Amino acid sequence: MKLSTNEKAVYAIFLLVLIMVNPPIVNIVSDYAKTHPFVLGWPTLLVWLNAWYIIALIDFLVGVLTIRSWKKDYNEEGTL
């Protein structure tokens, strides 16, 4: 199966998000949050995680709208 450039970008961003919201990256952010507990009036770790989850959500929506293989039509029986 050959992936288009757009599909590669969407999958790469998904992978990046998974890396950024799991240890050891979250541990580094948590250590930073000990000395800087708030960013823009919000807890640092909450801002970090929410930012990455928003990036993942936007990436998913872009994938749904642009990747052809994700668009499937189903008949009444639920099959393709």
Side-chain angles (χ1 to χ4, degrees), residues 58-76:
I58 292 169
D59 186 47
F60 178 75
L61 292 174
V62 167
V64 165
L65 296 173
T66 60
I67 297 176
R68 235 174 128 194
S69 64
W70 287 14
K71 298 178 184 177
K72 299 288 182 190
D73 290 327
Y74 295 92
N75 59 17
E76 293 177 7

Side-chain angles (χ1 to χ4, degrees), residues 6-19 59:
N6 189 31
E7 286 176 299
K8 289 178 186 177
V10 169
Y11 294 138
I13 293 172
F14 278 147
L15 183 62
L16 178 65
V17 168
L18 284 174
I19 291 169
D59 186 47

Side-chain angles (χ1 to χ4, degrees), residues 12-80:
I13 293 172
F14 278 147
L15 183 62
L16 178 65
V17 168
L18 284 174
I19 291 169
M20 299 305 274
V21 298
N22 286 298
I25 304 297
V26 170
N27 294 340
I28 294 169
V29 175
S30 182
D31 290 340
Y32 175 80
K34 289 178 185 175
T35 57
H36 301 89
F38 293 100
V39 172
L40 304 171
W42 292 85
T44 304
L45 195 56
L46 179 70
V47 171
W48 176 263
L49 292 174
N50 282 341
W52 284 104
Y53 291 140
I54 289 170
I55 291 169
L57 183 67
I58 292 169
D59 186 47
F60 178 75
L61 292 174
V62 167
V64 165
L65 296 173
T66 60
I67 297 176
R68 235 174 128 194
S69 64
W70 287 14
K71 298 178 184 177
K72 299 288 182 190
D73 290 327
Y74 295 92
N75 59 17
E76 293 177 7
E77 291 88 33
T79 59
L80 291 174

